[in-house]
Amino acid sequence: MATSTDTSRMEFEVFLSFRGPDTRDNFTSCLYHNMVEKGIRVFRDNEELRVGQKIGGNLLRALDNTQIYIPIFSKGFASSVWCLREVAHMVDCTLKSDRKKEILPLFFDVKPDDVKLRTELYSNALSEYEKKYGPDEVTLWKAALREVATRAGWERKGEE
């Protein structure tokens, strides 16, 4: 059985993390299909996840069994508890992998400074969550966002 640090037998090469209403039917769908056509094993969750539900089952297994994570940071990304939990788990998996796993962020209509919480865009959403989920979990999400936003990635403007 492959562990989270054994990348030779990963189930997926790429895990796409995104907020469905922002990019699912346009950018993410196009990216997913282009990768699959090139023979890349990609995980893209097609289900809208319910707010407050813990990451588990297939989603957790897919995160653990992926080599490259591509979080697609959009304007509404931080308003999704699922997206925040995924990013925190990605950071945890990459730290435990001894540099065998990688996070390649894509900034879709946002800037790295938004994800680093230097603007109100993501900061406001996270402030709202502190009341509901507590400061410990939100602190973990903030640290994960800042960590991922420091990595080299791509910036893309959405369609106007």
Side-chain angles (χ1 to χ4, degrees):
M1 177 186 213
T3 66
S4 63
T5 58
D6 179 10
T7 58
S8 63
R9 295 179 293 161
M10 289 286 148
E11 184 174 357
F12 300 102
E13 294 169 284
V14 174
F15 183 103
L16 298 177
S17 178
F18 59 97
R19 181 172 176 268
D22 293 352
T23 66
R24 177 189 314 279
D25 294 329
N26 50 45
F27 181 78
T28 300
S29 183
C30 182
L31 179 62
Y32 171 80
H33 289 294
N34 282 326
M35 287 181 166
V36 169
E37 285 176 11
K38 302 287 187 221
I40 299 170
R41 295 183 320 275
V42 183
F43 181 87
R44 173 193 63 169
D45 192 4
N46 281 324
E47 302 299 317
E48 272 305 313
L49 303 169
R50 285 175 280 219
V51 173
Q53 210 173 3
K54 290 283 186 191
I55 293 178
N58 290 339
L59 186 61
L60 186 59
R61 185 175 47 78
L63 279 163
D64 288 342
N65 290 299
T66 298
Q67 187 170 358
I68 298 169
Y69 305 108
I70 301 178
I72 301 170
F73 294 112
S74 58
K75 289 180 179 173
F77 189 92
S79 68
S80 167
V81 172
W82 279 101
C83 289
L84 296 168
R85 287 181 174 153
E86 286 174 5
V87 168
H89 196 77
M90 288 174 195
V91 169
D92 186 52
C93 286
T94 57
L95 291 173
K96 291 177 181 175
S97 76
D98 195 29
R99 299 185 183 249
K100 293 178 183 165
K101 293 184 175 204
E102 191 65 46
I103 301 173
L104 305 173
L106 198 151
F107 304 95
F108 186 87
D109 254 352
V110 299
K111 299 283 183 197
D113 277 352
D114 296 319
V115 182
K116 290 177 187 173
L117 308 175
R118 293 183 180 159
T119 69
E120 292 182 358
L121 185 62
Y122 281 26
S123 295
N124 288 345
L126 287 164
S127 293
E128 292 296 315
Y129 285 138
E130 284 188 1
K131 299 167 196 142
K132 186 170 184 178
Y133 297 99
D136 292 344
E137 190 163 16
V138 173
T139 298
L140 183 68
W141 297 341
K142 287 179 178 180
L145 288 170
R146 287 183 181 120
E147 164 65 24
V148 173
T150 64
R151 297 167 187 244
W154 302 278
E155 289 187 41
R156 180 159 187 339
K157 284 285 191 195
E159 314 316 319
E160 298 295 323

